Amino acid sequence: MSKFDLLGMLLAGLLSASSASGGEIAGMVLDGETGSPLPGVAVYIPKLGVGTTSDTSGTFSLKGIPEGVYILRADMVGYRPQEIGVTVGREPVRIRITLYPEVYRMAEIVVTAPRGAEISLKSPAFVGRMEGRELRERAITLPDVLEGMAGVRVRKLGGLGDYATVSIRGSSSQQVRVYIDEVPLNDAFWGGVNLGNIPLGMFSRVEVYRGVIPMSFGGSGTGGVVRLVTPKLGTGGYGTVTSGSFGTIGAFFLTSRKSALFGGEYLRAENDYPFLDDNGTRYNPEDDVWTRRYNNDFRSTSLLAKLFLTVKGAKLSLWDLFFRSRKGLPGAGNAQAKYARIGELRNLSGADVEMGLFRTKLFWSRYVSKFRDLYSEIGLGRQDNHNVTDVFGMRTSLRSAHGDLYWNALFEGKLERFVPSDRVRRTQFLASVRKSVSFGLEGTYMRDRLELTASLRWDLMWNVRRSDYRMGVLRPIPEERKAYRFTGSRLGLRFSPVSCLHIKANLGRYFRAPSFYELFGDTGPVIGNTKLRPERGTNLDVGFVFGTKWLRRAEVAFYHNVLRDGITFVQHSQFTSRPENVGKASITGMEVSWKVALGRLRWEGHGSYQRARNLSELYGGIYRGKQLPNRPTWTVHGRWSTNFDKFGIFYEADYTSGNYHDLYNKFPIPERFIQNIGISFTLRPFRLELEVKNLTDRQVADVWGYPLPGRSYYIRLSAGGWTCRNGGKR
């Protein structure tokens, strides 16, 4: 029996199980300001004492209602209640409910209710979130945020603005999908996403989906999802000024009204921090000397604009996000480059159109990189490369509901163009192109205590390449074509025997095609490999989420991922690496996370154990049974904080051990224990924060030869932003 037959039987069974006698009221709840679906809204009939809550797509259904005239009420803390008269007969009643935010004023503090925690609890997926003031007060950069989330490890090559990638449950960075709202940042060229130059101030919420990729995002991958959410319209305004060690200066502002939003951010750092240079002899401390990083400066500018319109009953949202950065590339610590530079520009534009249950998103993104190494300090030979990647895309979704069964159909099409140029050799290349079409169908059966989700996704992909990496140089070649066809699937379950306990399980099958970066390299430290095969993986996880008054949230998850033809960057020399298919790999682990509140004291954190094993026969099986590099066995992170009316203090600690630089496990990464501490003073509308990072000045590196900063100091002054949608009064 095929997977299509199984899915059909499953959905048919759910459909038949959802039927009941009596009338039915079904519909969708929307945010009156943004037009977005509202999950977690209580929809009920007071006269009968029956009700339900809207799901993650904002839809709801009440069945078995006797014929008659009733008042239907929709309630959600933070929104004005809505009452609607309905007449129930033999035919189903379809309605749309619109709720508008309501502001409660208490001692000059504007408070709205938390909703994110409820959504993540009721989703079958294991989801971590950080939003609102919590997000702005805890971190300066996006990698800082992700390092404090369960199941996530960040790999950095240096200080502020330096290259940084994310791993979820032992995945590679290319296996993690990164989205701004619902627009993918992963493209055909890079595959992975550099998080080091993404402006944190432009986002009101960061979400991490561990192990599974919900079909609603589109795209496929074996790692998980990092979703960056831009602020909603009408959220007020706020601003921040930052200063700190190693020449760090930053400023951010955002202003938002009912139909328009605009924000900007500027950040710079010299990154001239001291480090211990081992002169390339890690086991000989006799020649170690203290020196400083140079040619490591960083500058970035970012702008965000959003506009909301209503045109003939359709809701139209237009937006644009622009960020540009320039920085030096110092290279390895024992052979620092003086002149190598890189400039990057990324622009994302989009339009969202929503009419009832139908939604269409059009988007365009452009990524431009300019890499100059005219003295052959980093790559192989002199380099002056100007590469442009354009992505044009469209996503269309259609939702419907029948009783407790909800459907979501998805279509996505993308065109990606990669145009490199070599200005040293004065070579202009023809574009390499990737076209892709995706179809998806998802069915969800939802009751108060049970949610079951099944989805199928079909992806077709066509590649046309016109360049290849040969003898250290990217060269034009005759046109080569290659097509991929994949089928992905997912099953998700949430069972809530009591209101404070949610048992979850997920099973998914995913794929990832090699990126142009992996296929062709960058003519710098990465050598391309055009023989790479697509990755295929199967992910399984099971666990539970539990919460009480003082134990706000406790989560335990077990996971097992099997990866076939996994792509890993193998270091071929001190300065270069090459991606290889390592064959088969197995990653098994356990995650624990918690949030505890005892009076004014808050304690939260996470810990994980992970066993990532290479099962391939690459190079005669010499790596079989070895631990995959840069996947630590043990990880623990904790944060203790307390807040009074005008004063707050926090302490953070992060520990990792059991990690290696290389596939053969010959070069271990020393265990690390990093501590941060900070205090804050509040005199509304201002807030002053002082923070010390790496309190004990530990000398650490994620990649051998690329030292991270030691002890550093930062001060932030914030103003406004007291409309807090996720935390209320603090």
Side-chain angles (χ1 to χ4, degrees), residues 665-690:
N665 297 174
K666 186 177 180 181
F667 302 112
I669 299 176
E671 67 177 12
R672 67 174 61 173
F673 182 56
I674 303 297
Q675 304 170 74
N676 306 324
I677 192 170
I679 58 176
S680 64
F681 304 91
T682 301
L683 184 62
R684 291 184 171 86
F686 299 102
R687 179 185 176 91
L688 181 67
E689 302 163 67
L690 307 173

mmCIF file of all heavy atoms in Angstrom, residues 665-690:
data_model
loop_
_atom_site.group_PDB
_atom_site.id
_atom_site.type_symbol
_atom_site.label_atom_id
_atom_site.label_comp_id
_atom_site.label_asym_id
_atom_site.label_seq_id
_atom_site.Cartn_x
_atom_site.Cartn_y
_atom_site.Cartn_z
ATOM 1 N N ASN A 665 38.041 12.692 14.694
ATOM 2 C CA ASN A 665 38.060 12.915 16.151
ATOM 3 C C ASN A 665 39.477 12.976 16.708
ATOM 4 O O ASN A 665 39.730 12.559 17.850
ATOM 5 C CB ASN A 665 37.257 11.832 16.885
ATOM 6 C CG ASN A 665 35.781 11.823 16.530
ATOM 7 O OD1 ASN A 665 35.047 10.949 16.945
ATOM 8 N ND2 ASN A 665 35.336 12.791 15.751
ATOM 9 N N LYS A 666 40.386 13.525 15.917
ATOM 10 C CA LYS A 666 41.764 13.657 16.367
ATOM 11 C C LYS A 666 41.995 14.968 17.110
ATOM 12 O O LYS A 666 42.899 15.080 17.942
ATOM 13 C CB LYS A 666 42.706 13.568 15.162
ATOM 14 C CG LYS A 666 44.181 13.549 15.524
ATOM 15 C CD LYS A 666 45.047 13.379 14.282
ATOM 16 C CE LYS A 666 46.531 13.351 14.641
ATOM 17 N NZ LYS A 666 47.386 13.199 13.428
ATOM 18 N N PHE A 667 41.172 15.967 16.812
ATOM 19 C CA PHE A 667 41.357 17.293 17.392
ATOM 20 C C PHE A 667 40.124 17.670 18.213
ATOM 21 O O PHE A 667 39.147 18.194 17.670
ATOM 22 C CB PHE A 667 41.604 18.338 16.307
ATOM 23 C CG PHE A 667 42.798 18.026 15.446
ATOM 24 C CD1 PHE A 667 42.639 17.676 14.113
ATOM 25 C CD2 PHE A 667 44.070 18.078 15.980
ATOM 26 C CE1 PHE A 667 43.725 17.391 13.321
ATOM 27 C CE2 PHE A 667 45.173 17.794 15.195
ATOM 28 C CZ PHE A 667 45.009 17.440 13.862
ATOM 29 N N PRO A 668 40.134 17.382 19.511
ATOM 30 C CA PRO A 668 38.982 17.715 20.360
ATOM 31 C C PRO A 668 38.885 19.216 20.611
ATOM 32 O O PRO A 668 39.892 19.932 20.632
ATOM 33 C CB PRO A 668 39.273 16.957 21.656
ATOM 34 C CG PRO A 668 40.763 16.842 21.689
ATOM 35 C CD PRO A 668 41.210 16.705 20.260
ATOM 36 N N ILE A 669 37.655 19.674 20.794
ATOM 37 C CA ILE A 669 37.414 21.048 21.215
ATOM 38 C C ILE A 669 37.324 21.046 22.742
ATOM 39 O O ILE A 669 36.518 20.307 23.305
ATOM 40 C CB ILE A 669 36.110 21.600 20.607
ATOM 41 C CG1 ILE A 669 36.196 21.598 19.072
ATOM 42 C CG2 ILE A 669 35.808 22.992 21.116
ATOM 43 C CD1 ILE A 669 34.921 22.040 18.388
ATOM 44 N N PRO A 670 38.157 21.808 23.422
ATOM 45 C CA PRO A 670 38.120 21.790 24.885
ATOM 46 C C PRO A 670 36.736 22.143 25.425
ATOM 47 O O PRO A 670 35.994 22.927 24.815
ATOM 48 C CB PRO A 670 39.156 22.850 25.285
ATOM 49 C CG PRO A 670 40.045 22.991 24.091
ATOM 50 C CD PRO A 670 39.168 22.745 22.902
ATOM 51 N N GLU A 671 36.361 21.525 26.558
ATOM 52 C CA GLU A 671 35.106 21.886 27.181
ATOM 53 C C GLU A 671 35.130 23.365 27.547
ATOM 54 O O GLU A 671 36.189 23.944 27.800
ATOM 55 C CB GLU A 671 34.854 21.039 28.422
ATOM 56 C CG GLU A 671 35.808 21.290 29.570
ATOM 57 C CD GLU A 671 35.453 20.474 30.789
ATOM 58 O OE1 GLU A 671 34.611 19.565 30.672
ATOM 59 O OE2 GLU A 671 36.013 20.738 31.858
ATOM 60 N N ARG A 672 33.950 23.971 27.537
ATOM 61 C CA ARG A 672 33.882 25.396 27.817
ATOM 62 C C ARG A 672 32.792 25.699 28.829
ATOM 63 O O ARG A 672 31.763 25.026 28.878
ATOM 64 C CB ARG A 672 33.640 26.198 26.546
ATOM 65 C CG ARG A 672 32.279 25.977 25.917
ATOM 66 C CD ARG A 672 32.036 26.910 24.746
ATOM 67 N NE ARG A 672 32.992 26.720 23.689
ATOM 68 C CZ ARG A 672 32.916 27.320 22.505
ATOM 69 N NH1 ARG A 672 31.935 28.154 22.259
ATOM 70 N NH2 ARG A 672 33.812 27.092 21.588
ATOM 71 N N PHE A 673 33.045 26.726 29.626
ATOM 72 C CA PHE A 673 32.085 27.196 30.616
ATOM 73 C C PHE A 673 32.116 28.719 30.566
ATOM 74 O O PHE A 673 33.057 29.346 31.027
ATOM 75 C CB PHE A 673 32.455 26.685 32.008
ATOM 76 C CG PHE A 673 31.477 27.087 33.079
ATOM 77 C CD1 PHE A 673 30.135 26.771 32.974
ATOM 78 C CD2 PHE A 673 31.910 27.805 34.191
ATOM 79 C CE1 PHE A 673 29.237 27.142 33.960
ATOM 80 C CE2 PHE A 673 31.026 28.181 35.187
ATOM 81 C CZ PHE A 673 29.679 27.839 35.069
ATOM 82 N N ILE A 674 31.080 29.300 29.939
ATOM 83 C CA ILE A 674 31.013 30.739 29.723
ATOM 84 C C ILE A 674 29.945 31.328 30.640
ATOM 85 O O ILE A 674 28.840 30.797 30.739
ATOM 86 C CB ILE A 674 30.679 31.063 28.253
ATOM 87 C CG1 ILE A 674 31.719 30.433 27.321
ATOM 88 C CG2 ILE A 674 30.616 32.576 28.040
ATOM 89 C CD1 ILE A 674 33.111 30.957 27.511
ATOM 90 N N GLN A 675 30.278 32.439 31.289
ATOM 91 C CA GLN A 675 29.356 33.085 32.215
ATOM 92 C C GLN A 675 29.142 34.543 31.813
ATOM 93 O O GLN A 675 30.082 35.228 31.411
ATOM 94 C CB GLN A 675 29.910 33.029 33.639
ATOM 95 C CG GLN A 675 30.219 31.621 34.125
ATOM 96 C CD GLN A 675 30.981 31.629 35.426
ATOM 97 O OE1 GLN A 675 30.412 31.914 36.482
ATOM 98 N NE2 GLN A 675 32.273 31.341 35.364
ATOM 99 N N ASN A 676 27.892 34.995 31.934
ATOM 100 C CA ASN A 676 27.522 36.385 31.688
ATOM 101 C C ASN A 676 26.753 36.906 32.897
ATOM 102 O O ASN A 676 26.055 36.143 33.575
ATOM 103 C CB ASN A 676 26.645 36.517 30.441
ATOM 104 C CG ASN A 676 27.268 35.898 29.213
ATOM 105 O OD1 ASN A 676 28.488 35.950 29.036
ATOM 106 N ND2 ASN A 676 26.457 35.300 28.359
ATOM 107 N N ILE A 677 26.830 38.203 33.133
ATOM 108 C CA ILE A 677 26.107 38.816 34.243
ATOM 109 C C ILE A 677 25.674 40.206 33.826
ATOM 110 O O ILE A 677 26.337 40.857 33.000
ATOM 111 C CB ILE A 677 26.970 38.860 35.523
ATOM 112 C CG1 ILE A 677 26.125 39.224 36.735
ATOM 113 C CG2 ILE A 677 28.148 39.809 35.360
ATOM 114 C CD1 ILE A 677 26.840 39.051 38.056
ATOM 115 N N GLY A 678 24.545 40.671 34.367
ATOM 116 C CA GLY A 678 24.072 41.996 33.999
ATOM 117 C C GLY A 678 23.112 42.565 35.024
ATOM 118 O O GLY A 678 22.521 41.835 35.824
ATOM 119 N N ILE A 679 22.964 43.877 35.013
ATOM 120 C CA ILE A 679 22.015 44.572 35.870
ATOM 121 C C ILE A 679 21.257 45.583 35.022
ATOM 122 O O ILE A 679 21.712 45.996 33.949
ATOM 123 C CB ILE A 679 22.715 45.294 37.042
ATOM 124 C CG1 ILE A 679 23.750 46.295 36.522
ATOM 125 C CG2 ILE A 679 23.360 44.295 37.980
ATOM 126 C CD1 ILE A 679 24.400 47.118 37.624
ATOM 127 N N SER A 680 20.073 45.988 35.505
ATOM 128 C CA SER A 680 19.257 46.949 34.773
ATOM 129 C C SER A 680 18.601 47.920 35.751
ATOM 130 O O SER A 680 18.304 47.563 36.902
ATOM 131 C CB SER A 680 18.184 46.235 33.948
ATOM 132 O OG SER A 680 17.274 45.549 34.790
ATOM 133 N N PHE A 681 18.376 49.150 35.268
ATOM 134 C CA PHE A 681 17.694 50.190 36.035
ATOM 135 C C PHE A 681 16.594 50.765 35.149
ATOM 136 O O PHE A 681 16.842 51.102 33.989
ATOM 137 C CB PHE A 681 18.667 51.300 36.450
ATOM 138 C CG PHE A 681 19.850 50.807 37.230
ATOM 139 C CD1 PHE A 681 21.023 50.452 36.567
ATOM 140 C CD2 PHE A 681 19.792 50.682 38.605
ATOM 141 C CE1 PHE A 681 22.126 49.991 37.274
ATOM 142 C CE2 PHE A 681 20.886 50.218 39.313
ATOM 143 C CZ PHE A 681 22.048 49.871 38.660
ATOM 144 N N THR A 682 15.397 50.914 35.701
ATOM 145 C CA THR A 682 14.253 51.373 34.926
ATOM 146 C C THR A 682 13.659 52.628 35.543
ATOM 147 O O THR A 682 13.348 52.658 36.739
ATOM 148 C CB THR A 682 13.168 50.284 34.844
ATOM 149 O OG1 THR A 682 13.718 49.117 34.241
ATOM 150 C CG2 THR A 682 11.989 50.762 34.011
ATOM 151 N N LEU A 683 13.537 53.658 34.746
ATOM 152 C CA LEU A 683 12.831 54.874 35.103
ATOM 153 C C LEU A 683 12.013 55.243 33.873
ATOM 154 O O LEU A 683 12.501 55.904 32.953
ATOM 155 C CB LEU A 683 13.808 55.992 35.473
ATOM 156 C CG LEU A 683 13.163 57.304 35.956
ATOM 157 C CD1 LEU A 683 12.363 57.064 37.241
ATOM 158 C CD2 LEU A 683 14.223 58.379 36.189
ATOM 159 N N ARG A 684 10.787 54.732 33.836
ATOM 160 C CA ARG A 684 9.996 54.809 32.617
ATOM 161 C C ARG A 684 9.872 56.237 32.091
ATOM 162 O O ARG A 684 9.705 57.166 32.880
ATOM 163 C CB ARG A 684 8.605 54.208 32.871
ATOM 164 C CG ARG A 684 8.677 52.706 33.087
ATOM 165 C CD ARG A 684 7.305 52.103 33.235
ATOM 166 N NE ARG A 684 7.400 50.650 33.221
ATOM 167 C CZ ARG A 684 7.647 49.900 34.287
ATOM 168 N NH1 ARG A 684 7.802 50.471 35.457
ATOM 169 N NH2 ARG A 684 7.725 48.591 34.186
ATOM 170 N N PRO A 685 10.011 56.384 30.765
ATOM 171 C CA PRO A 685 10.056 55.323 29.748
ATOM 172 C C PRO A 685 11.456 54.824 29.414
ATOM 173 O O PRO A 685 11.644 54.218 28.354
ATOM 174 C CB PRO A 685 9.460 56.017 28.526
ATOM 175 C CG PRO A 685 9.932 57.440 28.659
ATOM 176 C CD PRO A 685 9.930 57.724 30.138
ATOM 177 N N PHE A 686 12.445 55.049 30.273
ATOM 178 C CA PHE A 686 13.815 54.668 29.958
ATOM 179 C C PHE A 686 14.233 53.429 30.742
ATOM 180 O O PHE A 686 13.757 53.163 31.843
ATOM 181 C CB PHE A 686 14.778 55.824 30.268
ATOM 182 C CG PHE A 686 14.505 57.068 29.485
ATOM 183 C CD1 PHE A 686 13.848 58.137 30.077
ATOM 184 C CD2 PHE A 686 14.872 57.159 28.164
ATOM 185 C CE1 PHE A 686 13.584 59.285 29.363
ATOM 186 C CE2 PHE A 686 14.611 58.305 27.434
ATOM 187 C CZ PHE A 686 13.964 59.379 28.036
ATOM 188 N N ARG A 687 15.175 52.704 30.157
ATOM 189 C CA ARG A 687 15.746 51.533 30.812
ATOM 190 C C ARG A 687 17.233 51.480 30.479
ATOM 191 O O ARG A 687 17.614 51.535 29.304
ATOM 192 C CB ARG A 687 15.051 50.248 30.343
ATOM 193 C CG ARG A 687 15.623 48.970 30.966
ATOM 194 C CD ARG A 687 14.951 47.753 30.362
ATOM 195 N NE ARG A 687 15.531 46.513 30.842
ATOM 196 C CZ ARG A 687 15.116 45.844 31.904
ATOM 197 N NH1 ARG A 687 14.102 46.304 32.614
ATOM 198 N NH2 ARG A 687 15.697 44.713 32.267
ATOM 199 N N LEU A 688 18.069 51.353 31.504
ATOM 200 C CA LEU A 688 19.516 51.289 31.336
ATOM 201 C C LEU A 688 19.988 49.896 31.740
ATOM 202 O O LEU A 688 19.658 49.406 32.820
ATOM 203 C CB LEU A 688 20.207 52.340 32.202
ATOM 204 C CG LEU A 688 21.734 52.401 32.107
ATOM 205 C CD1 LEU A 688 22.163 52.878 30.720
ATOM 206 C CD2 LEU A 688 22.294 53.318 33.185
ATOM 207 N N GLU A 689 20.775 49.257 30.847
ATOM 208 C CA GLU A 689 21.255 47.899 31.105
ATOM 209 C C GLU A 689 22.774 47.843 30.977
ATOM 210 O O GLU A 689 23.343 48.405 30.027
ATOM 211 C CB GLU A 689 20.630 46.918 30.107
ATOM 212 C CG GLU A 689 19.116 46.901 30.131
ATOM 213 C CD GLU A 689 18.557 46.243 28.883
ATOM 214 O OE1 GLU A 689 18.763 45.020 28.736
ATOM 215 O OE2 GLU A 689 17.932 46.945 28.060
ATOM 216 N N LEU A 690 23.412 47.177 31.920
ATOM 217 C CA LEU A 690 24.849 46.944 31.897
ATOM 218 C C LEU A 690 25.079 45.443 31.877
ATOM 219 O O LEU A 690 24.492 44.706 32.668
ATOM 220 C CB LEU A 690 25.516 47.558 33.131
ATOM 221 C CG LEU A 690 25.236 49.038 33.402
ATOM 222 C CD1 LEU A 690 25.823 49.445 34.750
ATOM 223 C CD2 LEU A 690 25.808 49.904 32.293
#
